[in-house]
Amino acid sequence: MGNETSQPTGLVIEENAIEVTDRWALHSAAHSTGTPDPTKISVFVGAPPCKSNPTLLEKFAKNLMVHRHPCILKYVATWHKNGKGFHLATEDVRPLVQVLPNQTALQVCIGLQNILKALIFLHEMAQSSHNNVCRAAVYVTPDGVWKLGGLEYLCRFSELSSGYLCGARVGRYEAGRSPGEEERVPQPPSAVDRFAFGVLAEEVLSTYSSDDVPGMAEFRELCKTQLQNVSSAVRPSLDKVLRLPFFTHEFINIHNFLSELTLKTEQDKQDFFRDLSGKLSSFPEDVVASQLSSLLLSRIVLLDTTAQQHLLPLLFSPRADDDPSKDKVFSESTFKAFLVPKLLPMFCVRDAHVRIILLSHFSTFCAMFSPSQLQLHILPEAARTAKSQNRRSQKPIKVVEPECGNPPIAPETVLPERLSPDGGEEEPSSLTVSEEETENWVEWEENIAPDRKIDDLKKTDKVISNLKPQDTSHSTNLPDITSLDIKSSSLPPKNQEVDYFQDMEPVISTNHIVEIPETKKSQTSKFEVELTESDDVKGWGDDENWDDL
């Protein structure tokens, strides 16, 4: 796989497994990324390669990388480890079978809606079939959000055949297998997942009353008579199932609106947030906190102007547990149990606008935090915000001080009193002072106690009154200025312009010519012949007798 790497540094996997199957073991892990609190993730540890099916987890990981959706289990990383098989890291989740006994009917309703959205995405966008929709393929995040997993048997519609389904028959959930799939593939191919979803919905709703959620009785009947029908043609599309009253009641509509807030118009947002607090009061507050707190504390909600005016004052003002009125959204016990764990890391976000909004309402919910939480998490980040932002962010810091005594961070938030600022003993400088620095000194002056200002003024007036004009002449005995050896330099005229290019003027000088005397050489030619006289030369032999030859 192209994205395989070695085990991430700083990853600590717990030894005890959360879930153990014949294919893998699920462990909790913590990944340190340099932040004070490590990130919690889940790690699937595959069976050793000697097993008969060592590639199921790899197929699961590959399909998670390819198919990304908010309702599908989030992929993090994969790697091989010698002797321990293949490893897959995902977001922090737990199996549904372990969480389901503590889920309310509304939470199950929202969870089934997430599974429906994930299946519709696979069918319509990916043109693929999951082929193993069951409780074992569903995981739940710490916030109670259901995520679809178990993608090891996923395949495209074009590759789906009766042979493929028969080959995966052993690992698939037996009750969720479509009748007659061994002979031929049900038509349309998505009918395989429709039947399995009907079985899943009937199983998870079996322990709840039909009156717990509007439309539950109708939905149960549809799952039993239509989705689980032997004839695949009778099974309705999942889009039609998603439009049933069971998935369109008031709580689901609020959840969907908050999830799709970026797609809404400004007028729709204004109408929604004006009436939201009243609508939430009609539902159990523990269900609202567990299912909607993450959405209510999202950045887009905190920065919405209508939400800041109508929702946030009621959201960040918890009421007493014995208060029967429901003008506020949450009680103190619910606020501590669900919202405080989410608010603590929010003070460490880099978005200054979010921190300022939290600090502006902090006086109404600061008592929900323990003194150790205030000192270790809230105050350090609040002090940084106060230093980098304007003075309105310093007010909530002063409200925190009575709650945790004299925190060690307090000297950083308020400057100590001093007679002069840093550098005040030096000579006055001609540098200009920025407007921001001026505002800071004004604030420093405002922090001085009024009694001390009056005492300083009285002392100053007393010193000035004791000074007499005639005493100044005898204070120093300076020599005459004419007797001093002072050298002055003449200043250039004011109107004279400075030539900045004086040093850049080129210097042009004539070249020095050196004359070299010519030496006369005899001209020679390659045709010149030197004649020498010799007595031994006989020439052509004219003296010989040619007749003798």
Side-chain angles (χ1 to χ4, degrees):
M1 296 169 59
N3 203 24
E4 290 178 3
T5 59
S6 59
Q7 179 174 335
T9 57
L11 179 64
V12 179
I13 303 176
E14 294 184 5
E15 186 176 356
N16 297 329
I18 300 176
E19 181 187 37
V20 179
T21 66
D22 57 346
R23 292 166 289 180
W24 57 66
L26 177 60
H27 295 257
S28 295
H31 186 207
S32 299
T33 57
T35 57
D37 298 328
T39 303
K40 293 183 179 180
I41 60 176
S42 296
V43 177
F44 294 80
V45 181
C50 60
K51 297 292 182 179
S52 59
N53 50 0
T55 60
L56 285 178
L57 185 58
E58 297 186 39
K59 292 180 180 179
F60 182 15
K62 181 180 179 180
N63 288 323
L64 283 184
M65 285 193 296
V66 175
H67 305 91
R68 304 294 184 99
H69 189 269
C71 298
I72 295 179
L73 189 62
K74 183 179 179 181
Y75 169 89
V76 176
T78 56
W79 67 90
H80 282 280
K81 194 171 183 179
N82 296 332
K84 294 188 178 180
F86 185 78
H87 288 61
L88 166 64
T90 65
E91 59 181 321
D92 185 25
V93 290
R94 297 185 71 88
L96 174 63
V97 292
Q98 299 180 8
V99 182
L100 187 59
N102 300 325
Q103 295 266 301
T104 63
L106 276 176
Q107 291 174 317
V108 173
C109 177
I110 297 176
L112 289 175
Q113 184 195 42
N114 290 344
I115 303 303
L116 271 178
K117 291 180 179 179
L119 291 175
I120 292 173
F121 167 76
L122 292 177
H123 294 169
E124 297 182 357
M125 304 301 297
Q127 293 293 307
S128 301
S129 177
H130 186 278
N131 300 323
N132 194 29
V133 179
C134 58
R135 287 178 294 178
V138 180
Y139 298 89
V140 184
T141 66
D143 295 334
V145 181
W146 289 23
K147 298 295 185 76
L148 180 63
L151 305 184
E152 60 271 14
Y153 296 109
L154 182 142
C155 71
R156 297 184 63 84
F157 288 151
S158 59
E159 302 173 357
L160 186 62
S161 63
S162 58
Y164 179 85
L165 295 176
C166 290
R169 187 180 182 86
V170 177
R172 296 168 60 210
Y173 183 51
E174 183 178 0
R177 295 197 293 256
S178 177
E181 64 180 21
E182 302 88 356
E183 300 175 359
R184 65 182 184 88
V185 177
Q187 296 298 325
S190 59
V192 176
D193 292 339
R194 295 178 188 177
F195 182 89
F197 178 79
V199 175
L200 170 65
E202 185 180 8
E203 290 179 349
V204 298
L205 293 174
S206 60
T207 59
Y208 299 97
S209 174
S210 299
D211 299 331
D212 293 341
V213 179
M216 182 184 292
E218 178 185 356
F219 177 68
R220 278 178 169 175
E221 184 67 20
L222 181 137
C223 291
K224 187 174 182 179
T225 60
Q226 298 185 33
L227 288 176
Q228 300 181 46
N229 197 289
V230 177
S231 175
S232 59
V234 180
R235 303 169 193 168
S237 64
L238 298 184
D239 279 333
K240 182 179 179 181
V241 175
L242 198 60
R243 293 192 294 268
L244 292 175
F246 183 70
F247 297 110
T248 56
H249 55 82
E250 189 66 32
F251 192 85
I252 286 285
N253 291 336
I254 295 175
H255 183 276
N256 294 340
F257 194 98
L258 292 173
S259 302
E260 303 170 357
L261 193 60
T262 55
L263 306 178
K264 305 300 181 180
T265 62
E266 290 298 328
Q267 185 62 39
D268 292 339
K269 294 179 185 179
Q270 294 177 6
D271 298 339
F272 175 76
F273 286 117
R274 285 194 184 98
D275 305 329
L276 181 58
S277 60
K279 294 178 180 179
L280 294 178
S281 61
S282 61
F283 301 101
E285 62 177 70
D286 57 341
V287 177
V288 175
S290 60
Q291 293 296 312
L292 301 180
S293 59
S294 298
L295 296 173
L296 293 174
L297 296 177
S298 62
R299 182 180 186 274
I300 189 171
V301 173
L302 294 179
L303 299 183
D304 188 85
T305 55
T306 308
Q308 293 175 4
Q309 183 179 1
H310 298 280
L311 175 64
L312 298 188
L314 302 177
L315 180 66
F316 290 136
S317 300
R319 65 179 185 276
D321 293 336
D322 55 354
D323 187 359
S325 63
K326 290 190 176 182
D327 53 343
K328 308 295 178 59
V329 180
F330 299 116
S331 62
E332 293 182 353
S333 58
T334 305
F335 197 97
K336 292 179 181 179
F338 293 95
L339 270 69
V340 166
K342 293 180 174 62
L343 288 171
L344 282 176
M346 291 180 63
F347 282 94
C348 302
V349 297
R350 297 183 180 181
D351 195 337
H353 300 286
V354 173
R355 295 198 305 269
I356 290 176
I357 292 174
L358 294 178
L359 291 175
S360 63
H361 295 276
F362 193 68
S363 60
T364 59
F365 64 88
C366 64
M368 301 296 101
F369 296 93
S370 63
S372 60
Q373 290 175 336
L374 293 174
Q375 291 184 354
L376 299 178
H377 297 275
I378 306 299
L379 282 179
E381 300 300 331
R384 295 188 184 98
T385 306
K387 288 182 178 180
S388 60
Q389 301 298 326
N390 50 23
R391 287 175 293 178
R392 68 174 178 175
S393 62
Q394 296 179 5
K395 182 178 179 181
I397 302 176
K398 298 179 181 179
V399 177
V400 178
E401 293 177 2
E403 299 293 335
C404 57
N406 295 323
I409 198 69
E412 297 181 9
T413 60
V414 181
L415 294 176
E417 297 180 0
R418 52 193 177 190
L419 297 179
S420 62
D422 291 339
E425 67 278 0
E426 298 178 356
E427 295 294 333
S429 174
S430 60
L431 298 177
T432 58
V433 180
S434 63
E435 183 178 357
E436 182 180 359
E437 294 176 351
T438 305
E439 293 179 359
N440 292 337
W441 285 119
V442 171
E443 181 182 349
W444 174 80
E445 292 175 356
E446 292 175 357
N447 291 334
I448 299 177
D451 297 338
R452 179 170 178 175
K453 287 184 177 181
I454 297 174
D455 295 341
D456 292 343
L457 291 175
K458 290 180 179 180
K459 293 179 181 179
T460 305
D461 294 340
K462 183 176 180 180
V463 173
I464 294 175
S465 61
N466 293 332
L467 295 178
K468 297 181 180 180
Q470 60 271 20
D471 295 340
T472 59
S473 60
H474 302 285
S475 59
T476 56
N477 188 11
L478 298 177
D480 189 7
I481 192 172
T482 57
S483 62
L484 299 176
D485 185 10
I486 300 177
K487 297 181 180 180
S488 61
S489 59
S490 59
L491 298 176
K494 295 182 179 180
N495 296 331
Q496 183 179 356
E497 295 182 357
V498 179
D499 188 3
Y500 295 100
F501 302 96
Q502 182 177 2
D503 296 337
M504 300 176 60
E505 294 181 357
V507 178
I508 302 176
S509 60
T510 58
N511 297 331
H512 181 66
I513 302 175
V514 179
E515 295 183 0
I516 301 176
E518 297 182 357
T519 57
K520 294 183 179 181
K521 296 182 179 180
S522 59
Q523 297 182 355
T524 59
S525 176
K526 61 182 179 178
F527 299 105
E528 185 176 359
V529 179
E530 183 179 357
L531 299 177
T532 57
E533 296 182 356
S534 177
D535 296 337
D536 298 335
V537 179
K538 295 182 180 181
W540 290 98
D542 294 338
D543 296 340
E544 297 181 356
N545 189 1
W546 289 89
D547 296 334
D548 297 337
L549 297 176

